[in-house]
Amino acid sequence: MAHESKKQEKLPTVLVVDDEPEALQLFGRMLASRHGRYTVLDAEDGASALELLRSRRPDVLLLDLVMPNGDGFAVLRAKAQDEGIRDVPVIIVSATDPQRDPIISRELVVTRRQGLSAREVVLSLRAITRAL
């Protein structure tokens, strides 16, 4: 007897990296509110982020820049040197730039003076993942 097997659709995986537990919860809730269309991983520092990037290879990385134990800049440098994770898209979600300078890199940076609402972050994430 033949069995029909439905191919399970792989949900896009988002790695959220922030040292503030409240920010991790907020982004987790925002992404979960999109009807479970994302698998959400989280890390509280740069070292954990790099470990998850290498072991789980998410579809996109939401990255805070100011963190202990390997800040976002260190994550970006290590990521750029690692062929296995180099092409994972990055969205910087940092409330502050430590030097108050413009962030210039090969990564896509979206900033808005008044910030982004939860809905706008999710819509931006969806548009960027489709484009990439």
Side-chain angles (χ1 to χ4, degrees), residues 43-90:
E44 293 184 359
D45 59 41
S48 300
L50 287 168
E51 182 180 320
L52 282 169
L53 275 167
R54 292 178 177 127
S55 66
R56 300 285 300 270
R57 200 175 185 299
D59 297 296
V60 67
L61 170 64
L62 299 182
L63 180 65
D64 182 19
L65 293 177
V66 183
M67 298 178 296
N69 196 18
D71 65 13
F73 295 105
V75 171
L76 291 173
R77 282 190 300 274
K79 183 181 155 309
Q81 295 174 0
D82 188 325
E83 203 170 293
I85 58 174
R86 174 180 302 158
D87 62 339
V88 173
V90 178

Side-chain angles (χ1 to χ4, degrees), residues 11-52:
L11 296 175
T13 302
V14 179
L15 172 56
V16 181
V17 184
D18 199 304
D19 62 323
E20 296 292 331
E22 296 82 15
L24 292 174
Q25 288 178 338
L26 175 64
F27 282 112
R29 282 194 312 267
M30 287 173 9
L31 292 165
S33 72
R34 297 305 304 163
H35 309 291
R37 294 185 184 157
Y38 299 97
T39 298
V40 180
L41 307 172
D42 59 53
E44 293 184 359
D45 59 41
S48 300
L50 287 168
E51 182 180 320
L52 282 169

